[in-house]
């Protein structure tokens, strides 16, 4: 399988099968573990100036099958980012109140204010993933949601929110090993629910839903990044680099200080 770009081309049909979760074509582990240290610090510098600048917010969307590494990406990539400017919210089964609203309601409330990073650990994409795969809503309902999501992301982006989406792509065998580790390791057992095995049985349905999610909602303003995620060290470098590149493209700046401030003396 040839090396694929992180953001699939907008002008060609997207096939998940073309993307290798194992991909290590651009660098080795030792290099990646050295690189990530500097990338984390750079991400924090950029958060600092985004906070001062106040023109933009950053929304990071993480999706992936169970055990794809969503939690661990949050912990690793954002390790150096200060608490002042960054929040994370994880979305599980909707509460009764959330389920009584439109499907975007619970997410929009957590959209970041200008100056901040917000990480969505799972997101509104669950409405075209688990809700589709598990038949929680009729087909017409989830089918209409791709456009609704595109319009929502367009709106956020017009209002100054930079939307960056990462699909953590692991292989079926990698998931097997990670779920088994959750059973075998007493400190990870809490993460495992018997229901996870049923979810795994729906593997093919999820892959199809992931493919449609990327195919239908990959846009210039809110691109999907298909991250080869079998190797954590590779995954973290790819996510961090993509964020840094996008933030650098914003030409963020510290606000102009008051005139004459450089001549002031604190006594
Ligand atoms: P975890 O990420 O392990 O904490 O699990 C969260 C669970 O919430 C997963 O099993 C998801 O499938 C489930 N979930 C998230 N969003 C939805 C949704 N919109 N409808 C139903 N289940 C959901
Ligand atoms: Mg889980």
């Amino acid at each position: 399988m040839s090396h694929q770009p992180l953001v699939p081309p907008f002008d060609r049909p997207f096939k998940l099968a073309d993307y290798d979760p194992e991909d290590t074509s651009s660098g080795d582990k030792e290099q990646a573990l050295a690189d990530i240290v500097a990338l984390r610090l750079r991400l924090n510098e950029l958060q600092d100036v985004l906070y001062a600048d106040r023109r933009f917010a950053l929304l990071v969307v993480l999706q992936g099958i169970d055990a794809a590494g969503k939690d661990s990406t949050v912990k690793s990539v954002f390790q150096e980012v200060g608490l002042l400017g960054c929040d994370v919210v994880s979305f599980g089964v909707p509460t009764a109140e959330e389920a009584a609203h439109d499907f975007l309601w619970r997410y929009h409330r957590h959209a970041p204010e200008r100056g901040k990073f917000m990480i969505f650990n799972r997101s509104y994409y669950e409405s075209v993933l688990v809700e589709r795969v598990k038949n929680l809503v009729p087909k017409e309902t989830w089918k209409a949601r791709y456009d609704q999501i595109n319009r929502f992301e367009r709106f956020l982006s017009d209002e100054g929110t930079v939307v960056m989406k990462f699909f953590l792509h692991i292989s079926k065998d990698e998931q097997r090993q990670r779920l088994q580790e959750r059973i075998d390791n007493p400190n990870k057992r809490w993460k495992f629910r018997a229901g996870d095995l049923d979810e795994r049985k729906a593997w093919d349905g999820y892959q199809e839903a992931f493919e449609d999610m990327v195919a239908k909602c990959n846009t210039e303003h809110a691109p999907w990044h298909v991250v080869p995620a079998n190797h954590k060290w590779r995954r973290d470098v790819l996510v961090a680099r993509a964020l840094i590149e996008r933030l650098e493209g914003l030409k963020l700046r510290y606000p102009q200080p008051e005139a004459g401030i450089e001549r002031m003396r604190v006594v």
Side-chain angles (χ1 to χ4, degrees), residues 83-126:
L83 294 170
L84 260 185
C86 185
D87 271 314
V88 54
V89 54
S90 302
F91 295 100
V93 179
T95 63
E97 188 192 23
E98 289 167 347
H101 285 81
D102 70 83
F103 83 99
L104 290 170
W105 181 77
R106 70 167 175 161
Y107 306 99
H108 198 180
R109 313 167 73 195
H110 288 286
E113 63 192 74
R114 291 182 193 91
K116 295 213 177 173
F117 287 7
M118 173 60 84
I119 307 160
F120 280 3
N121 183 352
R122 299 187 192 268
S123 68
Y124 40 90
Y125 281 97
E126 291 297 331

Side-chain angles (χ1 to χ4, degrees), residues 8-61:
F10 302 116
D11 56 354
R12 265 184 275 148
F14 172 70
K15 283 278 157 265
L16 191 52
D18 294 339
Y19 287 73
D20 183 3
E22 188 67 26
D23 176 64
T24 52
S25 54
S26 40
D28 63 14
K29 181 172 181 177
E30 206 182 331
Q31 187 62 50
L33 292 177
D35 290 349
I36 191 67
V37 177
L39 292 169
R40 286 179 187 132
L41 293 169
R42 178 66 185 137
L43 197 55
N44 184 47
E45 282 174 4
L46 286 160
Q47 165 22 241
D48 201 59
V49 56
L50 184 103
Y51 190 75
D53 182 299
R54 295 297 162 107
R55 285 179 300 155
F56 301 102
L58 173 69
L59 175 61
V60 179
V61 169

Side-chain angles (χ1 to χ4, degrees), residues 141-160:
T141 303
W142 60 256
K143 281 210 137 180
R145 286 176 171 173
Y146 298 100
D147 273 348
Q148 292 161 343
I149 288 173
N150 284 335
R151 290 201 293 270
F152 176 60
E153 289 178 343
R154 175 85 254 177
F155 171 70
L156 289 180
S157 126
D158 288 347
E159 285 285 306

